[in-house]
Amino acid sequence: MTRSMFRYVEWRLITVPPSPEVQAVCSSCNARSVAVDWEDRGDAEEWALEHTGHNPSHQSYRGVATSVWKVLPADGTVEDVEPPVEPESVLDGVCGALTYLPDEMVASHQYVTGRDLSNLVVLCTRDPAHDPLDGHCGTVLDHGTHYWP
């Protein structure tokens, strides 16, 4: 991993697009609704109700909101910065497979830091066309990359 240091420049963080997208994810089988804008989350909620209708024992869901952040110079200069490409979906271009962290990793992290990551969901950021046999990977907060089958 290469690290770069930017000196004498103040930076600001913006959200692209301004509204996050949300998905309903079944806690029983990890099936998920399509990603929709936060304002239109009724479609995701309706999907969850229909999913329970087809699977009566699946009654617990997670609402997973995803937004894209971008760092720009605070003074507004955008030298050598290309305008953001507006994707159709925040999740376009990523696999989207979800997982929880393994229990032993959660226990070890909690023992060392005191922080409980048991409810943390990791999103696979690999290309959607990747071979699932190669496994999935996603970023775990500031603790590096988590790989899973």
Side-chain angles (χ1 to χ4, degrees):
M1 181 168 139
T2 304
R3 293 185 178 255
S4 300
M5 183 178 289
F6 299 97
R7 295 177 185 236
Y8 312 112
V9 177
E10 289 187 39
W11 297 90
R12 64 187 168 103
L13 190 64
I14 64 169
T15 304
V16 181
S19 174
E21 290 189 343
V22 67
Q23 281 184 304
V25 180
C26 177
S27 296
S28 299
C29 69
N30 282 329
R32 50 195 169 106
S33 69
V34 296
V36 295
D37 285 336
W38 182 259
E39 289 83 18
D40 300 327
R41 66 187 173 274
D43 291 342
E45 293 168 359
E46 185 176 316
W47 175 88
L49 295 171
E50 289 177 10
H51 185 73
T52 297
H54 295 291
N55 306 279
S57 64
H58 298 200
Q59 299 176 2
S60 179
Y61 295 86
R62 296 182 304 276
V64 178
T66 305
S67 62
V68 176
W69 294 357
K70 184 169 179 101
V71 177
L72 296 174
D75 63 5
T77 60
V78 288
E79 299 170 10
D80 299 325
V81 176
E82 302 208 3
V85 176
E86 296 273 340
E88 287 186 27
S89 165
V90 174
L91 299 176
D92 280 355
V94 299
C95 168
L98 299 169
T99 189
Y100 284 106
L101 296 174
D103 292 339
E104 55 277 357
M105 183 177 180
V106 170
S108 172
H109 182 78
Q110 189 167 11
Y111 178 77
V112 172
T113 66
R115 291 172 48 197
D116 180 13
L117 300 181
S118 59
N119 289 327
L120 180 72
V121 177
V122 183
L123 172 72
C124 178
T125 55
R126 294 183 74 182
D127 183 278
H130 80 89
D131 183 357
L133 296 177
D134 291 338
H136 303 281
C137 68
T139 303
V140 181
L141 299 176
D142 55 348
H143 301 287
T145 303
H146 172 59
Y147 297 89
W148 71 96

